[in-house]
Amino acid sequence: QVQLVESGGGSVQAGGSLRLSCAASGYSRSCMGWFRQPPGKEREGVATIDRDGTIYYASSVKGRFTLSQDNAKNTLYLQMNSLKPEDTAMYYCAARLAGSGCAWWNWRTPAIYQDWGQGTQVTVSS
């Protein structure tokens, strides 16, 4: 089991930036990523990195968000720039355990991730 702890959420005005962090501990994972859940809506994939380094982004955040990882610190980051009010959501870090990775056809599917963090709130005001 992987334990995931998110941090870095907060409230910003539109156009601002935030960086989310996800500290991971436990067993190795084949891919990790970020999901978000706006109020009253379903959880959606934001970005994921596979074990081979391939990164997938949702079209709504491509060019504004950047996913990166520090393997030495076992930490995943999500740099969010040019934030919009529609980015307001609870953001969750997720991990898929070793043995199977993520690909373009499945990375957005929450069910393939076995471990989840507790979430961190991001609120963007206009």
Side-chain angles (χ1 to χ4, degrees), residues 2-68:
V2 175
Q3 292 183 333
L4 307 172
V5 179
E6 302 104 330
S7 61
S11 297
V12 295
Q13 290 190 329
S17 298
L18 284 173
R19 189 177 79 157
L20 305 184
S21 299
C22 174
S25 61
Y27 295 103
S28 61
R29 50 275 178 194
S30 62
C31 62
M32 287 184 64
W34 291 93
F35 281 72
R36 67 186 181 187
Q37 188 164 15
K41 296 185 178 181
E42 294 185 352
R43 195 168 295 190
E44 60 182 14
V46 176
T48 284
I49 183 167
D50 191 38
R51 54 191 166 188
D52 66 359
T54 301
I55 300 176
Y56 304 96
Y57 291 100
S59 58
S60 59
V61 307
K62 192 173 292 185
R64 299 189 297 121
F65 291 10
T66 302
L67 183 68
S68 62

Side-chain angles (χ1 to χ4, degrees), residues 18-126:
L18 284 173
R19 189 177 79 157
L20 305 184
S21 299
C22 174
S25 61
Y27 295 103
S28 61
R29 50 275 178 194
S30 62
C31 62
M32 287 184 64
W34 291 93
F35 281 72
R36 67 186 181 187
Q37 188 164 15
K41 296 185 178 181
E42 294 185 352
R43 195 168 295 190
E44 60 182 14
V46 176
T48 284
I49 183 167
D50 191 38
R51 54 191 166 188
D52 66 359
T54 301
I55 300 176
Y56 304 96
Y57 291 100
S59 58
S60 59
V61 307
K62 192 173 292 185
R64 299 189 297 121
F65 291 10
T66 302
L67 183 68
S68 62
Q69 63 182 9
D70 184 332
N71 291 326
K73 295 182 179 179
N74 284 328
T75 301
L76 188 72
Y77 302 100
L78 184 68
Q79 178 67 43
M80 305 185 296
N81 298 329
S82 302
L83 283 162
K84 303 175 181 180
E86 50 263 43
D87 294 319
T88 294
M90 184 71 78
Y91 283 70
Y92 298 91
C93 182
R96 191 176 196 192
L97 301 181
S100 52
C102 292
W104 65 268
W105 65 84
N106 67 359
W107 74 269
R108 294 181 185 84
T109 304
I112 71 168
Y113 298 84
Q114 286 80 26
D115 289 288
W116 293 82
Q118 80 286 354
T120 185
Q121 179 67 38
V122 172
T123 302
V124 184
S125 58
S126 58

